[in-house]
Amino acid sequence: MPTESLWLRWDVDPGVLLFLAALTAAYFWGIRRRSANETVTRGQIALFCSVIALLLLALVSPLNALGNDYLFSAHILQAFLLTTVCPPLLLLSLPDWLLSPLFRAGPLRRFARGYLFLLLATLLFNANFLLWLVPALYDSAVRHAPLHDMQSLLFLLTGVLNWWPLITPARNAPRWPHPLQLLYLFLDGIPLGLVSVTLFFVTYMPYTVYVNAPRLWGMSTGADLQLGSIILYVPGLLLDLVVLSMVFFKWLAKQEREATLREAALDEEAQREAPRTA
């Protein structure tokens, strides 16, 4: 297929469009039912609209055809958008009161405050991503639309779960201490890092769907595989470093505030004791 025709291949998948329409309707229905003391900012609405636009880019635009029929790196870019870009933006777009009723009491709140939740968040995300990289399942997903839709949905859901401990949008949901968030961030990227390094040095294309595919822009299968392995890990690693730095400095600022309050309390106590000793 000529490259010019490829850019006209917009995938109007009814299941994808129905999901995006339902997600949009649920969001605006939820924020319209707010009470007088519950607010939603224009920035949060803009973030949600950007999530919908990115989902359309990943699942409906020619990027979807590129990833399914031509380039491994395009499919990994699609997965990167679904797991690493859209989930944090979606969580940031949610007002803190919107999901709070789910965490006021009951088993969900108790589960979300336990260490098992952290383990499951990173385990399910990494296991899901690595499972879809198995060649047999990967080839089936890019060739069969229903399986591909399920893959995309799982990428998005496990991405949201993976980002939840770092961006908790519900005011009643438990917040994790900053040192634990730092450890979570450090350990979370190790599995995909090991796989991306392995793929970078593989000397053959393990995914048969691309072996006989037309080579676009003169890119060999080896270069495509290496580019995909870089997209798989490097942008996510850089984002993790940015988030890790933000969490670290927030922790330091909190420690300084607590130290200042302790010093102020000690000074006040010393001033109260001074007249007695005089």
Side-chain angles (χ1 to χ4, degrees):
M1 174 181 290
T3 305
E4 294 79 6
S5 301
L6 176 63
W7 300 119
L8 300 176
R9 285 188 56 183
W10 289 77
D11 187 8
V12 187
D13 186 328
V16 171
L17 296 180
L18 182 61
F19 169 74
L20 294 180
L23 181 62
T24 303
Y27 180 82
F28 284 101
W29 178 80
I31 63 175
R32 285 193 64 182
R33 290 177 60 84
R34 64 185 184 274
S35 61
N37 62 335
E38 295 172 337
T39 60
V40 57
T41 67
R42 291 182 179 179
Q44 288 172 318
I45 295 175
L47 281 175
F48 178 80
C49 292
S50 70
V51 170
I52 298 300
L54 287 169
L55 290 174
L56 286 169
L57 172 64
L59 301 173
V60 179
S61 80
L63 177 62
N64 189 56
L66 272 173
N68 287 347
D69 300 329
Y70 298 97
L71 296 173
F72 170 75
S73 53
H75 186 77
I76 294 301
L77 176 58
Q78 185 184 45
F80 173 74
L81 292 173
L82 292 172
T83 59
T84 310
V85 179
C86 290
L89 294 179
L90 180 60
L91 290 174
L92 289 171
S93 75
L94 299 175
D96 60 1
W97 49 265
L98 189 59
L99 300 180
S100 287
L102 299 175
F103 296 92
R104 284 176 183 158
L108 185 58
R109 177 175 174 81
R110 290 194 296 271
F111 173 68
R113 75 191 324 171
Y115 292 112
L116 179 60
F117 176 77
L118 284 181
L119 178 63
L120 284 177
T122 185
L123 181 63
L124 289 177
F125 170 75
N126 282 286
N128 177 69
F129 208 123
L130 296 178
L131 183 64
W132 289 109
L133 287 175
V134 174
L137 190 56
Y138 183 103
D139 288 336
S140 296
V142 297
R143 286 172 175 158
H144 301 93
L147 189 59
H148 187 270
D149 289 347
M150 185 177 75
Q151 178 195 63
S152 300
L153 180 61
L154 288 175
F155 276 154
L156 183 63
L157 292 179
T158 57
V160 169
L161 181 64
N162 192 50
W163 278 94
W164 184 278
L166 304 171
I167 307 173
T168 307
R171 66 170 67 131
N172 290 327
R175 262 58 172 183
W176 294 98
H178 291 123
L180 197 57
Q181 289 183 345
L182 293 173
L183 179 62
Y184 177 82
L185 269 169
F186 173 75
L187 296 176
D188 186 57
I190 291 178
L192 282 182
L194 295 175
V195 171
S196 66
V197 170
T198 302
L199 286 174
F200 187 86
F201 291 103
V202 168
T203 57
Y204 66 96
M205 173 57 74
Y207 305 109
T208 58
V209 67
Y210 303 119
V211 172
N212 297 317
R215 305 317 307 164
L216 299 180
W217 308 299
M219 183 181 293
S220 66
T221 55
D224 180 30
L225 188 63
Q226 288 183 332
L227 178 60
S229 66
I230 292 172
I231 296 173
L232 177 63
Y233 188 56
V234 173
L237 174 62
L238 295 177
L239 182 59
D240 282 349
L241 290 175
V242 171
V243 176
L244 191 146
S245 300
M246 293 171 60
V247 172
F248 178 72
F249 285 115
K250 284 175 65 176
W251 178 40
L252 282 184
K254 181 181 178 182
Q255 296 295 106
E256 290 177 1
R257 287 196 302 270
E258 291 177 349
T260 301
L261 291 174
R262 286 195 299 269
E263 290 175 2
L266 290 174
D267 290 342
E268 185 179 348
E269 184 178 353
Q271 290 175 3
R272 288 199 302 267
E273 292 292 334
R276 297 179 186 177
T277 56

